[in-house]
């Protein structure tokens, strides 16, 4: 007794799956490169702009400050992360900033 199984369809599906994985991998690499490029552009803006730039979280804690901010307030980006205005700025300025923050 012999049994014959046609695996043509299965092989075709496996080939399609391999091709889809290859395309997905290429797309993923392209996205990673784009994210890397945009990150470098944003970093250059933050680093070289004469403006004072900072980012805060919802609790108004500093997440990032640029070199202009570091120079003006004589603090480092690493030191200020996680702190609020009252911990960083003179009391009068911190109170004034808090009253204008939404």
């Amino acid at each position: 007794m012999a049994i014959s199984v046609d695996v043509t369809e299965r092989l075709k599906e496996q080939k399609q799956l391999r091709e889809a994985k290859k395309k997905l991998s290429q797309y993923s690499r392209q996205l990673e490169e784009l994210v890397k490029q945009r990150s470098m552009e944003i970093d250059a803006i933050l680093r070289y702009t004469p403006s004072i730039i900072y980012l805060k979280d919802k609790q108004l804690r500093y997440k990032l400050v640029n070199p202009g901010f570091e120079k003006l307030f004589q603090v480092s980006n690493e030191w200020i992360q996680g702190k609020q205005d009252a911990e960083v700025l003179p009391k009068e300025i911190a109170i004034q900033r808090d009253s204008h923050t939404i």
Side-chain angles (χ1 to χ4, degrees):
M1 179 179 212
I3 298 176
S4 175
V5 178
D6 186 2
V7 295
T8 305
E9 197 62 34
R10 183 175 179 185
L11 293 174
K12 182 179 173 183
E13 290 170 355
Q14 288 176 344
K15 181 180 178 184
Q16 289 174 339
L17 181 60
R18 281 193 304 275
E19 290 173 2
K21 285 181 178 181
K22 182 178 177 181
K23 286 181 183 180
L24 182 60
S25 179
Q26 289 172 340
Y27 182 68
S28 177
R29 283 193 299 276
Q30 289 172 344
L31 283 178
E32 287 175 9
E33 186 60 34
L34 183 59
V35 167
K36 181 180 176 182
Q37 181 180 352
R38 293 296 181 256
S39 294
M40 289 171 49
E41 291 168 353
I42 291 169
D43 183 62
I45 291 169
L46 291 173
R47 188 176 309 267
Y48 300 112
T49 184
S51 301
I52 305 302
I53 299 175
Y54 60 88
L55 297 175
K56 291 183 178 183
D57 62 18
K58 291 180 181 183
Q59 289 75 38
L60 304 177
R61 293 181 300 234
Y62 287 94
K63 293 184 62 93
L64 174 140
V65 298
N66 74 333
F69 188 104
E70 290 177 310
K71 184 176 179 181
L72 178 65
F73 293 104
Q74 299 179 357
V75 298
S76 71
N77 183 45
E78 293 78 20
W79 178 83
I80 200 169
Q81 289 181 13
K83 293 182 173 52
Q84 294 181 323
D85 285 339
E87 301 170 80
V88 176
L89 303 173
K91 185 178 180 178
E92 304 79 31
I93 296 173
I95 291 170
Q96 183 180 15
R97 288 186 47 79
D98 286 346
S99 69
H100 290 89
T101 302
I102 298 175

